[in-house]
Amino acid sequence: MYWDREHETMSREQLRALQLERLQLTIERVYRNVPFYRQRFTEMGIKPSSVRSLEDLRRLPFTTKQDLRDNYPFGLFAVPMSDVVRVHASSGTTGKPTVVGYTRNDIYTWAELIARSLVCAGATKFDVVQNAYGYGLFTGGLGLHFGAERLGATVVPVSGGNTQRQLMLMQDFGTTILTCTPSYALYMAEEGQKMGLDFKKLPLKAGIFGAEPWSERMRRQLEEKLDLMALDIYGLSEIMGPGVAMECAEKQGMHIWEDHFIPEIIDPATGEVLPPGEEGELVITTITKEAFPLIRYRTRDITRLDPEPCACGRTHMRIKRITGRSDDMLIIRGVNVFPSQVESVLLEFGETEPHYLLVVDRKANLDNLEIWVEVAEHMFSDTVRKLEDLEHRLRERIESVLGISARVKLVEPNTIPRSEGKAKRVVDRRQI
Amino acid sequence: MKVKQISIFLENKSGRLAQVTRVLGDNGINIRALAIADTTDFGILRLIVNDPDRAYRVLKEAGFTVSATDVIAVEVVDEPGGLAGVLAVLQEASLNIEYLYAFLQKASRAALVVFRVEQLDEAIAALQAKGIRILSGEEVYAL
């Protein structure tokens, strides 16, 4: 069962021809409309006409998150703001978020790709999709929402949190497809069990779980506890949001929708393109996006590309589960967190050389973030009230910058391990 | 009339207090009074010692977060209502007490109480006006 049989199953030759045509149009467009790209290309002696084959892609410069930051908020948009119908944002490396924009066509394409992804999980217009991804600046909620509507399914836009209500709606509305982070799905499963809920008696058939890394071990747990088929979905706001790649029922990796995105795997240290099948950093070029096209965007996600044909009949290559990052980004409760964001807050508080540590743990399937901050002399006050007030203000500011709650713990100097003079910034104790 | 108090930030974990007292002992510094204010995560150890400047230095060198704060040491008559009389004076003058603690003292007829208030000079004036004795730093360090 496919949503868009023509595109999902087109031959590799046709797909490559389509990719080249769309790539050339994209290069032409960014050269014309985005000063950043025109300048980069000019510096490297590249003209749109120099891209004659897909192999020429590797001669183009990379785009990084830093480039997005340098052009905050709308500097990389390739259309006038009058054509931008929506923006989303995700975590930047410091206080400012990474902003992305969509034209009406971009929203349509996104909905199409989500519809494809839902159909990968066996969804039809008869399904009830309980969408427990967060709605708002985060792409998860609205992304899934529009795609499920496009498919014609019944969407329950419940957003994240409020587990009791989630479980009530799941029973009362007869949810058949659940979309959320895998850790939250496990949390719901366990809360449901505590309430005596028998998931085998519910009509749940599939779960589309993403926005954070997970494992085959979690898949087994999810499938057993919730009595559904658990599938992985991949995306990042910079490229579009969820639905860049989606697992099919074969569960052998996520088909990356190659008629819209060109994936490459590079060695993160050298930037060299690696042969198919080798593990490295995923780099994506968007070839249909209008508002916010990106050339060779470094996702920092570590994975492999599997070019082997899939039993499902889809011809698009698959990316394997994300095994790590080539930077220090953490994903906590589905939210991207950079240690440098915490550092920027501490600098605001007058710390000249902040010593801090992010300690992440998963208890009862919920991620907990604790931030240890060494108390320097100038922060130290003789009264408990003032120190507690400092803790409180730090917590509020960090929460507002990170977008998730965190516990701030003041610790003594030299508590945080330093290796070769460079402090360790993260302790991740989660078992996924 | 002010006494220098040394405050040390301590995490709530075993051995930290022992470490502070060891550093002071090794440097021949004698503790005259101490108090701990604590929360679930951390504590503030407040000390009156015989040589506050050196205590500050050696603790800082040992890697502790240390600060020096001015407090006042008040002699309180060692009988029922003694402390109440002192507190009434401060209350009348609308002076808020941030914290107070009692002194470790050898047998004597008077008790000593350490006060930390925001407006130290006003507190000293108000207490002295009522004839309450306030000890000088030198007197306290030499106790």
Side-chain angles (χ1 to χ4, degrees), chain A residues 375-377 380-384 387-388 391 407 410-413 415, chain B residues 5 7 10-11 16 37 39 41-42 44 46 56 60 65-66 98-99:
Chain A
V375 179
E377 198 154 323
F380 178 48
S381 157
D382 170 58
T383 54
V384 170
L387 280 181
E388 285 185 330
E391 251 182 4
R407 203 173 91 87
L410 298 178
V411 299
E412 286 175 30
T415 305
Chain B
Q5 169 193 263
S7 303
L10 291 180
E11 267 175 74
R16 299 310 291 158
T39 70
D41 288 338
F42 62 82
I44 299 169
R46 298 172 184 136
Y56 178 88
K60 204 171 142 83
T65 301
V66 195
E98 290 193 36
Y99 54 80

PDB file of all heavy atoms in Angstrom, chain A residues 375-377 380-384 387-388 391 407 410-413 415, chain B residues 5 7 10-11 16 37 39 41-42 44 46 56 60 65-66 98-99:
ATOM      1  N   VAL A 375      29.676  26.852  42.237  1.00  0.00           N
ATOM      2  CA  VAL A 375      29.442  28.159  42.848  1.00  0.00           C
ATOM      3  C   VAL A 375      30.757  28.917  42.954  1.00  0.00           C
ATOM      4  O   VAL A 375      31.622  28.567  43.742  1.00  0.00           O
ATOM      5  CB  VAL A 375      28.822  27.990  44.246  1.00  0.00           C
ATOM      6  CG1 VAL A 375      28.609  29.349  44.899  1.00  0.00           C
ATOM      7  CG2 VAL A 375      27.505  27.266  44.135  1.00  0.00           C
ATOM      8  N   ALA A 376      30.898  29.901  42.111  1.00  0.00           N
ATOM      9  CA  ALA A 376      32.103  30.735  42.182  1.00  0.00           C
ATOM     10  C   ALA A 376      31.915  31.749  43.292  1.00  0.00           C
ATOM     11  O   ALA A 376      30.791  31.998  43.737  1.00  0.00           O
ATOM     12  CB  ALA A 376      32.312  31.435  40.857  1.00  0.00           C
ATOM     13  N   GLU A 377      33.010  32.342  43.716  1.00  0.00           N
ATOM     14  CA  GLU A 377      32.954  33.235  44.874  1.00  0.00           C
ATOM     15  C   GLU A 377      31.965  34.391  44.698  1.00  0.00           C
ATOM     16  O   GLU A 377      31.234  34.731  45.603  1.00  0.00           O
ATOM     17  CB  GLU A 377      34.356  33.779  45.155  1.00  0.00           C
ATOM     18  CG  GLU A 377      34.473  34.326  46.543  1.00  0.00           C
ATOM     19  CD  GLU A 377      35.917  34.275  47.034  1.00  0.00           C
ATOM     20  OE1 GLU A 377      36.631  33.311  46.716  1.00  0.00           O
ATOM     21  OE2 GLU A 377      36.297  35.203  47.714  1.00  0.00           O
ATOM     22  N   PHE A 380      28.461  33.424  45.359  1.00  0.00           N
ATOM     23  CA  PHE A 380      28.190  32.872  46.679  1.00  0.00           C
ATOM     24  C   PHE A 380      27.659  33.948  47.604  1.00  0.00           C
ATOM     25  O   PHE A 380      28.179  35.055  47.658  1.00  0.00           O
ATOM     26  CB  PHE A 380      29.474  32.258  47.240  1.00  0.00           C
ATOM     27  CG  PHE A 380      29.322  31.694  48.619  1.00  0.00           C
ATOM     28  CD1 PHE A 380      28.263  30.858  48.930  1.00  0.00           C
ATOM     29  CD2 PHE A 380      30.247  31.996  49.619  1.00  0.00           C
ATOM     30  CE1 PHE A 380      28.129  30.333  50.211  1.00  0.00           C
ATOM     31  CE2 PHE A 380      30.115  31.473  50.891  1.00  0.00           C
ATOM     32  CZ  PHE A 380      29.054  30.645  51.191  1.00  0.00           C
ATOM     33  N   SER A 381      26.595  33.604  48.306  1.00  0.00           N
ATOM     34  CA  SER A 381      26.079  34.515  49.299  1.00  0.00           C
ATOM     35  C   SER A 381      25.979  33.749  50.593  1.00  0.00           C
ATOM     36  O   SER A 381      25.785  32.543  50.625  1.00  0.00           O
ATOM     37  CB  SER A 381      24.706  35.017  48.887  1.00  0.00           C
ATOM     38  OG  SER A 381      24.034  35.429  50.037  1.00  0.00           O
ATOM     39  N   ASP A 382      26.120  34.499  51.662  1.00  0.00           N
ATOM     40  CA  ASP A 382      26.109  33.912  52.983  1.00  0.00           C
ATOM     41  C   ASP A 382      24.722  33.456  53.413  1.00  0.00           C
ATOM     42  O   ASP A 382      24.569  32.728  54.374  1.00  0.00           O
ATOM     43  CB  ASP A 382      26.691  34.994  53.912  1.00  0.00           C
ATOM     44  CG  ASP A 382      26.544  34.651  55.351  1.00  0.00           C
ATOM     45  OD1 ASP A 382      27.048  33.585  55.732  1.00  0.00           O
ATOM     46  OD2 ASP A 382      25.920  35.417  56.075  1.00  0.00           O
ATOM     47  N   THR A 383      23.680  33.895  52.698  1.00  0.00           N
ATOM     48  CA  THR A 383      22.344  33.516  53.143  1.00  0.00           C
ATOM     49  C   THR A 383      21.697  32.512  52.191  1.00  0.00           C
ATOM     50  O   THR A 383      21.840  32.617  50.973  1.00  0.00           O
ATOM     51  CB  THR A 383      21.408  34.739  53.270  1.00  0.00           C
ATOM     52  OG1 THR A 383      21.431  35.426  52.034  1.00  0.00           O
ATOM     53  CG2 THR A 383      21.855  35.666  54.368  1.00  0.00           C
ATOM     54  N   VAL A 384      21.023  31.555  52.786  1.00  0.00           N
ATOM     55  CA  VAL A 384      20.364  30.482  52.034  1.00  0.00           C
ATOM     56  C   VAL A 384      19.355  31.063  51.053  1.00  0.00           C
ATOM     57  O   VAL A 384      19.272  30.647  49.899  1.00  0.00           O
ATOM     58  CB  VAL A 384      19.651  29.519  53.023  1.00  0.00           C
ATOM     59  CG1 VAL A 384      18.763  28.550  52.263  1.00  0.00           C
ATOM     60  CG2 VAL A 384      20.667  28.778  53.867  1.00  0.00           C
ATOM     61  N   LEU A 387      20.954  32.256  47.889  1.00  0.00           N
ATOM     62  CA  LEU A 387      21.440  31.150  47.042  1.00  0.00           C
ATOM     63  C   LEU A 387      20.274  30.420  46.385  1.00  0.00           C
ATOM     64  O   LEU A 387      20.338  30.041  45.222  1.00  0.00           O
ATOM     65  CB  LEU A 387      22.275  30.166  47.859  1.00  0.00           C
ATOM     66  CG  LEU A 387      23.732  30.566  48.121  1.00  0.00           C
ATOM     67  CD1 LEU A 387      24.426  29.481  48.925  1.00  0.00           C
ATOM     68  CD2 LEU A 387      24.482  30.810  46.824  1.00  0.00           C
ATOM     69  N   GLU A 388      19.203  30.240  47.166  1.00  0.00           N
ATOM     70  CA  GLU A 388      18.026  29.584  46.587  1.00  0.00           C
ATOM     71  C   GLU A 388      17.405  30.448  45.497  1.00  0.00           C
ATOM     72  O   GLU A 388      16.920  29.943  44.489  1.00  0.00           O
ATOM     73  CB  GLU A 388      17.008  29.248  47.685  1.00  0.00           C
ATOM     74  CG  GLU A 388      17.471  28.063  48.489  1.00  0.00           C
ATOM     75  CD  GLU A 388      16.455  27.584  49.518  1.00  0.00           C
ATOM     76  OE1 GLU A 388      15.678  28.417  50.027  1.00  0.00           O
ATOM     77  OE2 GLU A 388      16.456  26.382  49.806  1.00  0.00           O
ATOM     78  N   GLU A 391      19.481  29.924  42.441  1.00  0.00           N
ATOM     79  CA  GLU A 391      19.109  28.640  41.841  1.00  0.00           C
ATOM     80  C   GLU A 391      17.826  28.783  41.025  1.00  0.00           C
ATOM     81  O   GLU A 391      17.713  28.317  39.905  1.00  0.00           O
ATOM     82  CB  GLU A 391      18.847  27.601  42.950  1.00  0.00           C
ATOM     83  CG  GLU A 391      19.880  26.546  43.072  1.00  0.00           C
ATOM     84  CD  GLU A 391      19.507  25.524  44.164  1.00  0.00           C
ATOM     85  OE1 GLU A 391      18.419  25.592  44.782  1.00  0.00           O
ATOM     86  OE2 GLU A 391      20.326  24.644  44.391  1.00  0.00           O
ATOM     87  N   ARG A 407      16.574  20.795  36.534  1.00  0.00           N
ATOM     88  CA  ARG A 407      16.843  21.071  37.941  1.00  0.00           C
ATOM     89  C   ARG A 407      18.247  21.655  38.025  1.00  0.00           C
ATOM     90  O   ARG A 407      19.179  21.118  37.421  1.00  0.00           O
ATOM     91  CB  ARG A 407      16.789  19.768  38.735  1.00  0.00           C
ATOM     92  CG  ARG A 407      16.501  19.934  40.197  1.00  0.00           C
ATOM     93  CD  ARG A 407      16.306  18.577  40.848  1.00  0.00           C
ATOM     94  NE  ARG A 407      17.569  18.070  41.345  1.00  0.00           N
ATOM     95  CZ  ARG A 407      18.054  18.354  42.561  1.00  0.00           C
ATOM     96  NH1 ARG A 407      17.360  19.104  43.387  1.00  0.00           N
ATOM     97  NH2 ARG A 407      19.214  17.872  42.953  1.00  0.00           N
ATOM     98  N   LEU A 410      23.505  23.563  42.715  1.00  0.00           N
ATOM     99  CA  LEU A 410      24.752  24.300  42.969  1.00  0.00           C
ATOM    100  C   LEU A 410      25.747  23.349  43.615  1.00  0.00           C
ATOM    101  O   LEU A 410      25.409  22.637  44.561  1.00  0.00           O
ATOM    102  CB  LEU A 410      24.468  25.482  43.899  1.00  0.00           C
ATOM    103  CG  LEU A 410      23.497  26.538  43.363  1.00  0.00           C
ATOM    104  CD1 LEU A 410      23.273  27.626  44.403  1.00  0.00           C
ATOM    105  CD2 LEU A 410      23.988  27.127  42.047  1.00  0.00           C
ATOM    106  N   VAL A 411      26.947  23.302  43.058  1.00  0.00           N
ATOM    107  CA  VAL A 411      27.954  22.395  43.612  1.00  0.00           C
ATOM    108  C   VAL A 411      29.236  23.172  43.939  1.00  0.00           C
ATOM    109  O   VAL A 411      29.433  24.297  43.499  1.00  0.00           O
ATOM    110  CB  VAL A 411      28.270  21.225  42.645  1.00  0.00           C
ATOM    111  CG1 VAL A 411      27.030  20.386  42.391  1.00  0.00           C
ATOM    112  CG2 VAL A 411      28.836  21.741  41.325  1.00  0.00           C
ATOM    113  N   GLU A 412      30.089  22.507  44.721  1.00  0.00           N
ATOM    114  CA  GLU A 412      31.338  23.146  45.140  1.00  0.00           C
ATOM    115  C   GLU A 412      32.314  23.264  43.977  1.00  0.00           C
ATOM    116  O   GLU A 412      32.247  22.491  43.033  1.00  0.00           O
ATOM    117  CB  GLU A 412      31.989  22.303  46.239  1.00  0.00           C
ATOM    118  CG  GLU A 412      31.298  22.411  47.562  1.00  0.00           C
ATOM    119  CD  GLU A 412      31.913  21.465  48.594  1.00  0.00           C
ATOM    120  OE1 GLU A 412      33.119  21.175  48.499  1.00  0.00           O
ATOM    121  OE2 GLU A 412      31.178  21.012  49.467  1.00  0.00           O
ATOM    122  N   PRO A 413      33.239  24.196  44.075  1.00  0.00           N
ATOM    123  CA  PRO A 413      34.255  24.317  43.019  1.00  0.00           C
ATOM    124  C   PRO A 413      35.014  23.004  42.836  1.00  0.00           C
ATOM    125  O   PRO A 413      35.188  22.252  43.793  1.00  0.00           O
ATOM    126  CB  PRO A 413      35.202  25.396  43.568  1.00  0.00           C
ATOM    127  CG  PRO A 413      34.435  26.119  44.595  1.00  0.00           C
ATOM    128  CD  PRO A 413      33.427  25.178  45.147  1.00  0.00           C
ATOM    129  N   THR A 415      34.153  20.323  41.496  1.00  0.00           N
ATOM    130  CA  THR A 415      33.349  19.103  41.573  1.00  0.00           C
ATOM    131  C   THR A 415      33.248  18.483  40.192  1.00  0.00           C
ATOM    132  O   THR A 415      33.190  17.281  40.022  1.00  0.00           O
ATOM    133  CB  THR A 415      31.907  19.456  42.027  1.00  0.00           C
ATOM    134  OG1 THR A 415      31.984  20.161  43.240  1.00  0.00           O
ATOM    135  CG2 THR A 415      31.067  18.215  42.202  1.00  0.00           C
TER     136      THR A 415
ATOM    137  N   GLN B   5      32.941  37.102  60.140  1.00  0.00           N
ATOM    138  CA  GLN B   5      32.521  35.706  60.103  1.00  0.00           C
ATOM    139  C   GLN B   5      32.947  35.115  58.751  1.00  0.00           C
ATOM    140  O   GLN B   5      32.894  35.788  57.730  1.00  0.00           O
ATOM    141  CB  GLN B   5      31.005  35.654  60.256  1.00  0.00           C
ATOM    142  CG  GLN B   5      30.401  34.286  59.981  1.00  0.00           C
ATOM    143  CD  GLN B   5      28.892  34.406  59.834  1.00  0.00           C
ATOM    144  OE1 GLN B   5      28.162  34.170  60.766  1.00  0.00           O
ATOM    145  NE2 GLN B   5      28.451  34.798  58.653  1.00  0.00           N
ATOM    146  N   SER B   7      32.154  32.331  55.890  1.00  0.00           N
ATOM    147  CA  SER B   7      31.095  31.420  55.423  1.00  0.00           C
ATOM    148  C   SER B   7      31.649  30.545  54.306  1.00  0.00           C
ATOM    149  O   SER B   7      32.407  31.022  53.457  1.00  0.00           O
ATOM    150  CB  SER B   7      29.903  32.201  54.885  1.00  0.00           C
ATOM    151  OG  SER B   7      29.428  33.070  55.893  1.00  0.00           O
ATOM    152  N   LEU B  10      28.990  24.496  51.143  1.00  0.00           N
ATOM    153  CA  LEU B  10      29.221  23.049  51.223  1.00  0.00           C
ATOM    154  C   LEU B  10      28.100  22.306  50.532  1.00  0.00           C
ATOM    155  O   LEU B  10      26.928  22.587  50.751  1.00  0.00           O
ATOM    156  CB  LEU B  10      29.250  22.595  52.692  1.00  0.00           C
ATOM    157  CG  LEU B  10      30.409  23.035  53.564  1.00  0.00           C
ATOM    158  CD1 LEU B  10      30.224  22.455  54.965  1.00  0.00           C
ATOM    159  CD2 LEU B  10      31.740  22.561  52.979  1.00  0.00           C
ATOM    160  N   GLU B  11      28.484  21.350  49.697  1.00  0.00           N
ATOM    161  CA  GLU B  11      27.450  20.468  49.151  1.00  0.00           C
ATOM    162  C   GLU B  11      27.060  19.486  50.243  1.00  0.00           C
ATOM    163  O   GLU B  11      27.892  19.132  51.072  1.00  0.00           O
ATOM    164  CB  GLU B  11      28.037  19.660  48.005  1.00  0.00           C
ATOM    165  CG  GLU B  11      27.835  20.270  46.659  1.00  0.00           C
ATOM    166  CD  GLU B  11      28.559  19.430  45.639  1.00  0.00           C
ATOM    167  OE1 GLU B  11      28.065  18.331  45.324  1.00  0.00           O
ATOM    168  OE2 GLU B  11      29.621  19.856  45.185  1.00  0.00           O
ATOM    169  N   ARG B  16      32.500  16.623  53.936  1.00  0.00           N
ATOM    170  CA  ARG B  16      32.879  18.001  53.599  1.00  0.00           C
ATOM    171  C   ARG B  16      33.168  18.841  54.841  1.00  0.00           C
ATOM    172  O   ARG B  16      34.119  19.605  54.867  1.00  0.00           O
ATOM    173  CB  ARG B  16      31.779  18.664  52.754  1.00  0.00           C
ATOM    174  CG  ARG B  16      31.513  17.979  51.433  1.00  0.00           C
ATOM    175  CD  ARG B  16      32.782  17.739  50.657  1.00  0.00           C
ATOM    176  NE  ARG B  16      33.391  18.983  50.169  1.00  0.00           N
ATOM    177  CZ  ARG B  16      34.661  19.102  49.837  1.00  0.00           C
ATOM    178  NH1 ARG B  16      35.478  18.080  49.982  1.00  0.00           N
ATOM    179  NH2 ARG B  16      35.131  20.242  49.393  1.00  0.00           N
ATOM    180  N   ALA B  37      23.535  26.369  57.953  1.00  0.00           N
ATOM    181  CA  ALA B  37      22.196  26.527  57.379  1.00  0.00           C
ATOM    182  C   ALA B  37      22.157  25.571  56.204  1.00  0.00           C
ATOM    183  O   ALA B  37      23.091  25.559  55.397  1.00  0.00           O
ATOM    184  CB  ALA B  37      22.016  27.960  56.900  1.00  0.00           C
ATOM    185  N   THR B  39      19.919  23.259  53.017  1.00  0.00           N
ATOM    186  CA  THR B  39      18.761  22.913  52.212  1.00  0.00           C
ATOM    187  C   THR B  39      18.979  21.458  51.820  1.00  0.00           C
ATOM    188  O   THR B  39      19.921  20.842  52.289  1.00  0.00           O
ATOM    189  CB  THR B  39      18.697  23.776  50.936  1.00  0.00           C
ATOM    190  OG1 THR B  39      19.751  23.373  50.067  1.00  0.00           O
ATOM    191  CG2 THR B  39      18.837  25.255  51.243  1.00  0.00           C
ATOM    192  N   ASP B  41      20.071  20.344  49.089  1.00  0.00           N
ATOM    193  CA  ASP B  41      21.239  20.179  48.222  1.00  0.00           C
ATOM    194  C   ASP B  41      22.545  20.681  48.809  1.00  0.00           C
ATOM    195  O   ASP B  41      23.591  20.139  48.555  1.00  0.00           O
ATOM    196  CB  ASP B  41      21.024  20.960  46.907  1.00  0.00           C
ATOM    197  CG  ASP B  41      20.002  20.300  46.028  1.00  0.00           C
ATOM    198  OD1 ASP B  41      19.791  19.094  46.208  1.00  0.00           O
ATOM    199  OD2 ASP B  41      19.413  20.994  45.205  1.00  0.00           O
ATOM    200  N   PHE B  42      22.449  21.801  49.509  1.00  0.00           N
ATOM    201  CA  PHE B  42      23.703  22.403  49.956  1.00  0.00           C
ATOM    202  C   PHE B  42      23.548  23.002  51.338  1.00  0.00           C
ATOM    203  O   PHE B  42      22.437  23.122  51.872  1.00  0.00           O
ATOM    204  CB  PHE B  42      24.167  23.480  48.964  1.00  0.00           C
ATOM    205  CG  PHE B  42      23.220  24.643  48.824  1.00  0.00           C
ATOM    206  CD1 PHE B  42      23.243  25.687  49.738  1.00  0.00           C
ATOM    207  CD2 PHE B  42      22.299  24.684  47.785  1.00  0.00           C
ATOM    208  CE1 PHE B  42      22.377  26.758  49.616  1.00  0.00           C
ATOM    209  CE2 PHE B  42      21.432  25.756  47.653  1.00  0.00           C
ATOM    210  CZ  PHE B  42      21.463  26.789  48.582  1.00  0.00           C
ATOM    211  N   ILE B  44      25.404  26.107  54.152  1.00  0.00           N
ATOM    212  CA  ILE B  44      26.355  27.197  54.339  1.00  0.00           C
ATOM    213  C   ILE B  44      26.891  27.052  55.765  1.00  0.00           C
ATOM    214  O   ILE B  44      26.118  27.076  56.727  1.00  0.00           O
ATOM    215  CB  ILE B  44      25.685  28.571  54.162  1.00  0.00           C
ATOM    216  CG1 ILE B  44      25.121  28.702  52.743  1.00  0.00           C
ATOM    217  CG2 ILE B  44      26.697  29.686  54.427  1.00  0.00           C
ATOM    218  CD1 ILE B  44      24.214  29.911  52.575  1.00  0.00           C
ATOM    219  N   ARG B  46      28.905  28.586  58.750  1.00  0.00           N
ATOM    220  CA  ARG B  46      29.336  29.910  59.212  1.00  0.00           C
ATOM    221  C   ARG B  46      30.230  29.726  60.427  1.00  0.00           C
ATOM    222  O   ARG B  46      29.872  29.006  61.356  1.00  0.00           O
ATOM    223  CB  ARG B  46      28.123  30.759  59.566  1.00  0.00           C
ATOM    224  CG  ARG B  46      27.232  30.987  58.349  1.00  0.00           C
ATOM    225  CD  ARG B  46      25.944  31.670  58.738  1.00  0.00           C
ATOM    226  NE  ARG B  46      25.094  31.783  57.560  1.00  0.00           N
ATOM    227  CZ  ARG B  46      23.786  31.517  57.556  1.00  0.00           C
ATOM    228  NH1 ARG B  46      23.186  31.100  58.659  1.00  0.00           N
ATOM    229  NH2 ARG B  46      23.092  31.660  56.453  1.00  0.00           N
ATOM    230  N   TYR B  56      40.166  32.538  55.999  1.00  0.00           N
ATOM    231  CA  TYR B  56      39.640  32.811  54.660  1.00  0.00           C
ATOM    232  C   TYR B  56      40.648  32.343  53.618  1.00  0.00           C
ATOM    233  O   TYR B  56      40.323  31.637  52.665  1.00  0.00           O
ATOM    234  CB  TYR B  56      39.389  34.328  54.522  1.00  0.00           C
ATOM    235  CG  TYR B  56      38.898  34.761  53.160  1.00  0.00           C
ATOM    236  CD1 TYR B  56      37.536  34.775  52.873  1.00  0.00           C
ATOM    237  CD2 TYR B  56      39.791  35.152  52.173  1.00  0.00           C
ATOM    238  CE1 TYR B  56      37.086  35.168  51.627  1.00  0.00           C
ATOM    239  CE2 TYR B  56      39.353  35.545  50.924  1.00  0.00           C
ATOM    240  CZ  TYR B  56      37.995  35.554  50.655  1.00  0.00           C
ATOM    241  OH  TYR B  56      37.555  35.945  49.415  1.00  0.00           O
ATOM    242  N   LYS B  60      40.269  29.090  51.026  1.00  0.00           N
ATOM    243  CA  LYS B  60      40.236  29.414  49.612  1.00  0.00           C
ATOM    244  C   LYS B  60      41.316  28.619  48.863  1.00  0.00           C
ATOM    245  O   LYS B  60      41.068  28.036  47.813  1.00  0.00           O
ATOM    246  CB  LYS B  60      40.467  30.912  49.431  1.00  0.00           C
ATOM    247  CG  LYS B  60      39.911  31.458  48.144  1.00  0.00           C
ATOM    248  CD  LYS B  60      40.001  32.979  48.177  1.00  0.00           C
ATOM    249  CE  LYS B  60      40.355  33.518  46.820  1.00  0.00           C
ATOM    250  NZ  LYS B  60      39.273  33.675  45.892  1.00  0.00           N
ATOM    251  N   THR B  65      34.614  27.541  48.266  1.00  0.00           N
ATOM    252  CA  THR B  65      34.040  28.856  48.000  1.00  0.00           C
ATOM    253  C   THR B  65      33.788  29.509  49.355  1.00  0.00           C
ATOM    254  O   THR B  65      33.012  28.990  50.159  1.00  0.00           O
ATOM    255  CB  THR B  65      32.727  28.733  47.222  1.00  0.00           C
ATOM    256  OG1 THR B  65      33.001  28.069  46.003  1.00  0.00           O
ATOM    257  CG2 THR B  65      32.142  30.100  46.930  1.00  0.00           C
ATOM    258  N   VAL B  66      34.469  30.612  49.613  1.00  0.00           N
ATOM    259  CA  VAL B  66      34.459  31.219  50.949  1.00  0.00           C
ATOM    260  C   VAL B  66      34.060  32.682  50.824  1.00  0.00           C
ATOM    261  O   VAL B  66      34.357  33.321  49.813  1.00  0.00           O
ATOM    262  CB  VAL B  66      35.884  31.194  51.569  1.00  0.00           C
ATOM    263  CG1 VAL B  66      35.811  31.478  53.063  1.00  0.00           C
ATOM    264  CG2 VAL B  66      36.563  29.879  51.317  1.00  0.00           C
ATOM    265  N   GLU B  98      18.681  38.383  59.747  1.00  0.00           N
ATOM    266  CA  GLU B  98      18.780  37.344  58.719  1.00  0.00           C
ATOM    267  C   GLU B  98      19.002  35.970  59.348  1.00  0.00           C
ATOM    268  O   GLU B  98      18.445  34.989  58.919  1.00  0.00           O
ATOM    269  CB  GLU B  98      19.902  37.680  57.742  1.00  0.00           C
ATOM    270  CG  GLU B  98      19.528  38.882  56.883  1.00  0.00           C
ATOM    271  CD  GLU B  98      20.468  39.043  55.707  1.00  0.00           C
ATOM    272  OE1 GLU B  98      20.910  38.030  55.155  1.00  0.00           O
ATOM    273  OE2 GLU B  98      20.762  40.192  55.377  1.00  0.00           O
ATOM    274  N   TYR B  99      19.877  35.947  60.341  1.00  0.00           N
ATOM    275  CA  TYR B  99      20.058  34.711  61.105  1.00  0.00           C
ATOM    276  C   TYR B  99      20.786  35.039  62.396  1.00  0.00           C
ATOM    277  O   TYR B  99      21.356  36.117  62.554  1.00  0.00           O
ATOM    278  CB  TYR B  99      20.809  33.643  60.310  1.00  0.00           C
ATOM    279  CG  TYR B  99      22.145  34.081  59.743  1.00  0.00           C
ATOM    280  CD1 TYR B  99      23.290  34.113  60.555  1.00  0.00           C
ATOM    281  CD2 TYR B  99      22.270  34.455  58.417  1.00  0.00           C
ATOM    282  CE1 TYR B  99      24.508  34.510  60.048  1.00  0.00           C
ATOM    283  CE2 TYR B  99      23.495  34.859  57.894  1.00  0.00           C
ATOM    284  CZ  TYR B  99      24.609  34.893  58.718  1.00  0.00           C
ATOM    285  OH  TYR B  99      25.819  35.288  58.223  1.00  0.00           O
TER     286      TYR B  99
END
